[in-house]
Amino acid sequence: MKPKGDDTGLEIRVRGQVQGVGFRPFVWRLARDMGLTGDVRNDAEGVLIRLFGEAKGFEERLRAEMPPLARIDAVECRDIQGAAEGFEIVASQAGAARTRVTPDAATCEACRQEVFDLKERRAGYAFTNCTHCGPRFTIVERLPYDRGNTTMAPFEMCAACRAEYDTPEDRRFHAQPVACPDCGPQLWLEPKGEGEPLARAARLLCNGDVIAVKGLGGFHLACDARNAEAVVRLRQRKHRPAKPFALMGTMDMIRDWCEVSVSEEALLRDPAAPIVLLTARQMPDGIAPGQNTLGWMLPYTPLHHLLIAAVGGPLVMTSGNLSGEPQVIGNVEALDKLSDFADAFLMHDRDIARRMDDSVERITPHGPMVLRRARGRVPGTLLLPKGFEAAPQIAAYGGQMKGAICLIKDGQALLGQHLGDLDDALCFEAFLKADADYAELFDHHPEVVACDLHPGFRASIHAQTKGLPVEEVQHHHAHLTACLGENGWPLEGGKVVGVILDGTGFGTDGTVWGGEILLGDYRGLERKAWLKPAPLIGGDMAAKEPWRNALARLDQAGLSDWADEAFSDKPLAMARMAVEKGVNCPMSSSVGRLFDAVAAILGMCVDRQSYEGEAAMRLEALARTSGGLSRYSLAIGVPVASMVGGALDPSEMIRYFVAKRDAGARVADLAFAFHLWLVRCFEGAVLSAMAGTGAQAVALSGGCFQNALLLDLTLKSLGDALPNTPVLIHTKTPANDGGLALGQALVAAARRL
Ligand code: ZN
Ligand code: ZN
Ligand code: FE
C-alpha cells in the first residue's frame, strides 16, 4: 500500500471468517501499534476498516497476525477521502448488519493454563473461555451474536468479567460467553451429595461407573477407557455390541495407545477438536471390536480438561442417546432418557441451543478425510466455484441416512451439521427444526429447493412442502458435484469422469445405483459403466444382513451349492423364491452391498451388521493386516471384471474368492485382493469412459471412499494410468451422504445459471 497524503486514506474490506473471532480488537491494536487513525466495523459482508496515515505493511500484518479463529478469504482496498482522530471500534448496528456466527472452538492454551493455575480466579472453573475459544454455534439462539441472544443471557456478568469484556487489550474483549465462578454457569453432579462435583464424578469413573456428561453440543456417556468391565457394561446398557466408541484423552494418553503423525497431531489440536481415527499400537478390549484404529479427541472444554485430569486417564466418550435417536441436549431429557445407561449425571445450567455431534475425521496419505461433519466445522462456509457467483439462494435437503442441509447464499455454501438417520422420528424432527433454524439464523430466503430423486426420502417429501420450485437431483450426480464443488471445479470447467462407489441411491432408470462410472458436469450426467446389478433380497434388510448379498452374488456366479452349505441356517429357499418372483428384491449396482457380500463369503458379519458399514469397515481393517510386498504379487492372480454393455460382472472374482477360501488362503489377503479387484475393475472402466470424451478430470466420491485403503489404492492406480489427469477427492466434506446436500445445491444452481 502506498503512503497517503493528509486527507486521503484507505478503505479495506475483509471477507471470510472475521466476525465473532476478535478481529475488530485485533485491528484496533494493530492500527494503534502502527500509529494509524480511523475505525473498524462489522457489516453484512464482513469487516470494514478505514485507515488514515502511513499504512504500508498493514495488510501483510493483518494476514500474518490475525486471531487464531479468523480466516481471510479476500482483502479489497480502495482510496478514500477524509481524516480521523484516534482509532475506534464502531459498534454493530442492530438489524442492519447480521453478524456471522462461527463454529465452536476448543479451549485455547491460555484458557487451559488459567484453569489449572491455582492463583487465577478461574482456577478449576469449567466454563472458562475467551475470544479465541469456547462455545459459539451451540449457544446462539438468534443473531446478531451478542450475549443477550445466547444461552448465556441469564448469567449477568460480574464487575471483573465486565471489565475484561469492555477492554480492547483484553483477551476477553467482546467474548460473548465470558464467565467466572462468581457470575457464570455452575456444575453439579446428580444424584446430589457432599463434595466437589468434578472430583466426585472422577471417583465414580475410576470405580467403573458410567457418567452422563453434559458437553458443548450434547450429552456424552463416559466411562474409564482402561477399565474393560466398565466398557462392557456401557456396551450392554447401550445395546451397542460392536460399534466403535470414541475416546478422549491428553496427547500423552493418546500416544500411549496410538501412533500419531505430525499431521494427525495438528488435526487433533485444531480448534475444531474433531475425533481423529488413529492407528492403534494394540487394541484395548471392547473399544472398537474388529478395527485397528481408535477414534480419539483431545479435551475441548475446560470441563473435559478438568475431568480427564481428575481421572488421570482416558475416557470413553460416546454420544448420550437412545439407539438411532439424536444426542440428548437438555437436563430433564437426559435424566429421563439416559437413566438406564448412567450411574450419575455431571450437569450444568448453561443450555445447549443446538445439538452438535462430534466431528469425525482421519488423515490419509492424500490429506484429511471428513467422516462426519459437525461440531467445530459448522457453520463454516465454502466459497462457491467460479461461475456460481450469481447463484440464487438455495436450500438443499440431502439424503436419508445421514441428514444434512446445505444453504447457498452470497457465493458461499454452508453445509450444515450431521443430523442422523431421518428414518428416526426424532432425527427427522431435528431436521425440520434445523431447516427453520438455519433459515432464521442466516437470514436465508431460498428461491429454489433441491432434494434427492428418491420420492420416498423424508427430506425429499419435505422439499415438496416448501411451496417453491423443486430441483430433484440424482443421488450419485450429487455425490459427483459435491466433490467437484469442494475442489473449486468451475461451472464451465468441462466434463469429468466420476467414480461413485456408494451404498445405495435411486437411479434415473428406477433401479438402485451404487457402483457407477459417470460422465458429467454440474448440469447433467451420462452413466457410462456400472457394477452388474444383483437383487437386494428383502429390500432394506439386505443392508443389514450381509448373507443376503452373498447369496445373490453366489447364485449369479453359479455357486448356489456353496451358498447352500455356507448359509445352511438361513431361509434360502424363501430368499430365492423372492428373487425369482421379484418380490421386494430391487436390482442394485451398489458397491457397498458387494463389500457386504464379500465380507460374508469370507465369514465376517454373516448374520447381520450391528451398525451401518460394519462389514466394509472390518474388511478394510483386515485388508490392512495383509501387509508387505506380497500384496502386489497377490494381485497378479486376481481376475479382472468382464464388461458387457457397461455392466462390470464380479462373478469371476466371486468364484476366485470362493476357490481361494476353500484352498485355505489367508482371509486378510483375500480382503486385500478384493480391494485390488475393485480398483482394477473401475480403473478399466474409467479409461474407457475417458476415451474420446474430452473429460478433464476424474472425481472420486460415494461412501465407499471413506475406506482409506480403497482411496489410496485407487489414487495410486489412476495416477499410474492417467499421469496427466487431475483426480479430485473429498477432503473438506464427507464423501458419503453427509455431503449430498452440497452437490444437490450446486446442481440446482447450475440449472439456473
Ligand atoms: Zn481461550
Ligand atoms: Zn464473572
Ligand atoms: Fe450415497
Side-chain angles (χ1 to χ4, degrees):
M1 278 166 224
K2 57 185 191 290
K4 296 290 156 198
D6 271 346
D7 53 357
T8 64
L10 267 183
E11 186 180 84
I12 304 175
R13 152 74 56 210
V14 190
R15 297 177 201 276
Q17 184 168 291
V18 290
Q19 297 181 351
V21 294
F23 206 85
R24 287 177 304 161
F26 155 67
V27 170
W28 179 87
R29 284 190 293 269
L30 182 58
R32 286 171 52 121
D33 189 53
M34 294 180 68
L36 300 166
T37 62
D39 52 42
V40 56
R41 73 188 73 212
N42 283 339
D43 64 16
E45 290 174 72
V47 161
L48 194 67
I49 306 166
R50 297 196 312 144
L51 287 181
F52 302 98
E54 173 54 59
K56 191 166 185 291
F58 184 85
E59 187 184 334
E60 289 71 20
R61 287 189 63 185
L62 198 70
R63 288 179 183 276
E65 299 169 28
M66 66 179 170
L69 297 181
R71 189 198 72 224
I72 294 180
D73 287 342
V75 176
E76 296 144 23
C77 302
R78 68 181 187 96
D79 293 339
I80 50 166
Q81 295 296 309
E85 275 176 40
F87 195 89
E88 254 185 85
I89 296 177
V90 182
S92 316
Q93 289 118 351
R98 306 207 69 172
T99 317
R100 281 253 296 275
V101 58
T102 56
D104 302 282
T107 307
C108 73
E109 185 52 23
C111 285
R112 192 193 66 80
Q113 286 184 15
E114 205 176 334
V115 167
F116 285 104
D117 185 345
L118 294 178
K119 299 187 296 296
E120 292 288 345
R121 68 189 187 97
R122 290 189 177 87
Y125 184 55
F127 305 94
T128 302
N129 63 76
C130 73
T131 311
H132 310 311
C133 75
R136 299 287 155 92
F137 197 41
T138 54
I139 59 166
V140 69
E141 289 180 311
R142 67 198 82 82
L143 290 182
Y145 176 63
D146 288 327
R147 189 186 182 92
N149 290 336
T150 71
T151 59
M152 283 299 291
F155 303 96
E156 197 175 330
M157 269 183 240
C158 68
C161 286
R162 167 63 66 185
E164 292 168 326
Y165 182 90
D166 286 336
T167 308
E169 291 93 335
D170 197 280
R171 195 170 99 240
R172 297 197 163 89
F173 177 70
H174 283 192
Q176 304 305 339
V178 66
C180 76
D182 293 335
C183 66
Q186 300 296 321
L187 206 58
W188 70 89
L189 189 74
E190 199 118 7
K192 297 209 169 66
E194 284 297 298
E196 203 273 321
L198 269 164
R200 282 177 59 219
R203 262 199 309 279
L204 292 175
L205 286 165
C206 291
N207 269 334
D209 281 356
V210 174
I211 309 275
V213 181
K214 187 178 186 179
L216 213 48
F219 274 81
H220 284 107
L221 291 167
C223 75
D224 185 345
R226 301 161 301 181
N227 183 336
E229 282 171 38
V231 174
V232 168
R233 198 172 307 130
L234 178 54
R235 283 210 179 276
Q236 283 169 346
R237 289 184 188 173
K238 264 205 105 184
H239 305 292
R240 185 164 151 157
K243 193 172 179 184
F245 280 148
L247 299 167
M248 180 183 276
T250 61
M251 241 7 258
D252 287 343
M253 294 172 193
I254 298 174
R255 279 188 215 287
D256 275 350
W257 292 36
C258 287
E259 306 288 344
V260 188
S261 70
V262 173
S263 43
E264 284 167 341
E265 178 169 351
L267 187 57
L268 284 161
R269 292 190 189 280
D270 187 280
I275 294 169
V276 180
L277 298 191
L278 300 169
T279 305
R281 290 222 195 84
Q282 57 184 53
M283 289 299 286
D285 282 346
I287 305 279
Q291 301 301 312
N292 41 32
T293 55
L294 292 170
W296 281 96
M297 55 187 154
L298 290 170
Y300 55 84
T301 69
L303 169 57
H304 296 137
H305 280 289
L306 292 162
L307 189 62
I308 296 278
V311 170
L315 294 174
V316 165
M317 288 291 252
T318 188
S319 52
N321 59 340
L322 299 180
S323 179
E325 285 189 3
Q327 198 175 11
V328 163
I329 59 173
N331 290 352
V332 176
E333 189 192 6
L335 291 169
D336 176 36
K337 289 202 165 167
L338 304 181
S339 52
D340 287 345
F341 307 147
D343 299 296
F345 294 79
L346 188 57
M347 315 227 267
H348 58 75
D349 52 1
R350 186 179 72 202
D351 286 342
I352 297 171
R354 195 164 290 98
R355 176 180 296 110
M356 202 63 67
D357 290 289
D358 295 313
S359 292
V360 184
E361 305 180 6
R362 74 198 288 188
I363 294 286
T364 75
H366 315 283
M369 178 188 277
V370 179
L371 303 162
R372 183 168 74 194
R373 194 170 175 281
R375 178 186 50 75
R377 299 294 181 205
V378 180
T381 56
L382 203 76
L383 198 64
L384 291 181
K386 208 163 159 273
F388 284 97
E389 293 81 1
Q393 292 192 25
I394 294 170
Y397 292 119
Q400 178 84 347
M401 288 280 287
K402 291 169 192 70
I405 294 170
C406 182
L407 306 184
I408 280 187
K409 182 182 171 179
D410 297 339
Q412 306 264 337
L414 192 163
L415 179 60
Q417 80 265 27
H418 169 79
L419 295 165
D421 183 351
L422 304 188
D423 270 332
D424 176 80
L426 289 176
C427 288
F428 185 61
E429 206 174 280
F431 167 89
L432 295 179
K433 211 178 139 221
D435 186 31
D437 178 35
Y438 275 36
E440 163 73 23
L441 260 185
F442 303 107
D443 194 18
H444 192 256
H445 307 278
E447 287 173 31
V448 188
V449 293
C451 65
D452 196 273
L453 195 60
H454 195 305
F457 277 4
R458 280 180 148 169
S460 308
I461 295 166
H462 173 66
Q464 305 289 348
T465 66
K466 302 291 284 186
L468 291 166
V470 180
E471 291 288 348
E472 291 175 336
V473 182
Q474 198 278 323
H475 190 95
H476 301 102
H477 190 205
H479 274 308
L480 168 65
T481 51
C483 184
L484 294 182
E486 80 143 87
N487 282 285
W489 188 259
L491 176 60
E492 307 299 347
K495 285 198 162 67
V496 302
V497 168
V499 184
I500 318 294
L501 308 188
D502 201 29
T504 50
F506 201 69
T508 53
D509 57 358
T511 71
V512 182
W513 294 6
E516 315 303 310
I517 299 290
L518 305 175
L519 175 68
D521 56 16
Y522 291 105
R523 294 191 178 92
L525 71 102
E526 198 184 321
R527 192 187 190 205
K528 301 294 276 188
W530 53 91
L531 185 70
K532 180 182 171 180
L536 297 172
I537 302 173
D540 290 346
M541 288 300 287
K544 299 197 170 86
E545 301 185 352
W547 69 268
R548 292 168 183 268
N549 304 294
L551 177 67
R553 290 297 181 186
L554 286 164
D555 280 356
Q556 271 188 350
L559 292 167
S560 299
D561 293 351
W562 199 87
D564 289 346
E565 206 170 309
F567 309 126
S568 56
D569 59 332
K570 303 285 182 276
L572 300 182
M574 216 157 71
R576 286 179 174 134
M577 177 91 77
V579 173
E580 202 175 304
K581 301 222 158 120
V583 179
N584 200 19
C585 289
M587 295 301 283
S588 172
S589 55
S590 167
V591 167
R593 298 294 80 78
L594 186 64
F595 263 95
D596 296 353
V598 170
I601 289 170
L602 298 184
M604 271 173 288
C605 302
V606 174
D607 299 335
R608 63 185 297 269
Q609 313 194 60
S610 73
Y611 57 93
E612 193 224 347
E614 181 179 9
M617 281 169 68
R618 283 182 187 246
L619 211 55
E620 177 191 355
L622 200 62
R624 284 181 178 282
T625 66
S626 164
L629 281 171
S630 64
R631 294 166 155 201
Y632 293 95
S633 47
L634 195 137
I636 298 162
V638 181
V640 184
S642 57
M643 180 148 79
V644 181
L648 298 151
D649 188 351
S651 293
E652 204 181 320
M653 179 269 292
I654 298 286
R655 288 191 287 272
Y656 169 86
F657 281 100
V658 165
K660 284 282 178 187
R661 198 185 163 193
D662 286 348
R666 284 178 65 212
V667 176
D669 289 341
L670 295 180
F672 189 85
F674 171 60
H675 284 75
L676 278 179
W677 177 84
L678 271 178
V679 168
R680 295 163 112 215
C681 156
F682 281 95
E683 180 200 300
V686 167
L687 294 180
S688 36
M690 297 282 289
T693 58
Q696 304 290 308
V698 179
L700 310 182
S701 190
C704 297
F705 281 112
Q706 300 208 321
N707 177 327
L709 178 64
L710 182 66
L711 178 73
D712 190 30
L713 293 172
T714 305
L715 284 169
K716 279 190 182 126
S717 91
L718 287 177
D720 289 345
L722 297 164
N724 300 317
T725 306
V727 181
L728 312 176
I729 61 170
H730 287 267
T731 57
K732 304 184 198 93
T733 62
N736 68 14
D737 289 4
L740 273 185
L742 171 63
Q744 292 169 355
L746 290 166
V747 171
R751 287 179 186 163
R752 279 162 198 267
L753 288 168

